Amino acid sequence: MLRRARELAMRALFAHTQGGVELEEALRHALEEMGGDEEAYGEALDEEGVVFARRLLAGYKAHQEEVDRVLRDTVEGWDFAQMSKTDLTVLRLATYEMLYEPTPFAPLIEVAVKIANRYGGEHSGAFVNGVLGRLYRRIQEGEVSTVPKEG
């Protein structure tokens, strides 16, 4: 369920940042598009999933400057303008979640990589994995602080 919620949030944020669509409208549209795609994961997106996706989007918007700063400091050799917009969107949401949500790191990174593989290019999953792995190391070394994690 949370994977689909993260995918919903990614699709909405992508439409918002790339298409200039209001965030709530982008979320509504992405939800409608995903409604017929249940067989992709074998599970429907329930109200709890929609609430979680909304929380990720609102959280990213509230902390956008900090998330983007941490992401810029973590990505080596890439400018946001050079990145695939899909990869950047996945990275923004995953970075927000790593910093501000109690989600354990391993499943969060795994899902981000799967979403990048599904929507990005041939090397998107590896790129997202590398960036998030570097961010994880920065967190472990105390260079970047996060909220306490579950489990």
Side-chain angles (χ1 to χ4, degrees), residues 8 12 22-32 53-54 57:
L8 172 64
E22 286 298 318
L23 198 52
E24 190 58 36
E25 182 183 336
L27 180 64
R28 215 174 18 258
H29 185 68
L31 194 52
E32 288 170 9
R54 262 197 184 94
L57 290 166

Side-chain angles (χ1 to χ4, degrees), residues 22-119:
E22 286 298 318
L23 198 52
E24 190 58 36
E25 182 183 336
L27 180 64
R28 215 174 18 258
H29 185 68
L31 194 52
E32 288 170 9
E33 284 183 340
M34 286 181 71
D37 197 21
E38 290 178 17
E39 61 281 352
Y41 297 115
E43 57 192 33
L45 187 61
D46 60 13
E47 188 57 35
E48 185 182 342
V50 175
V51 168
F52 182 69
R54 262 197 184 94
R55 188 170 89 208
L56 290 179
L57 290 166
Y60 170 72
K61 290 301 281 184
H63 298 282
Q64 184 173 352
E65 284 185 27
E66 176 67 8
V67 168
D68 282 358
R69 185 190 62 74
V70 168
L71 194 51
R72 271 191 190 89
D73 292 347
T74 302
V75 177
E76 293 180 325
W78 290 85
D79 183 272
F80 283 3
Q82 296 172 301
M83 282 186 215
S84 149
K85 300 310 177 205
T86 304
D87 295 355
L88 178 58
T89 304
V90 171
L91 286 168
R92 282 176 161 160
L93 286 170
T95 299
Y96 161 75
E97 196 171 353
M98 287 177 79
L99 299 178
Y100 295 102
E101 294 288 332
T103 315
F105 295 116
L108 187 163
I109 292 170
E110 179 183 335
V111 170
V113 169
K114 287 179 180 176
I115 292 171
N117 278 332
R118 180 171 179 163
Y119 289 93

Side-chain angles (χ1 to χ4, degrees), residues 9-20 57 84-87 89:
M10 188 281 297
R11 289 170 71 157
L13 185 60
F14 184 86
H16 173 68
T17 57
Q18 301 307 308
L57 290 166
S84 149
K85 300 310 177 205
T86 304
D87 295 355
T89 304

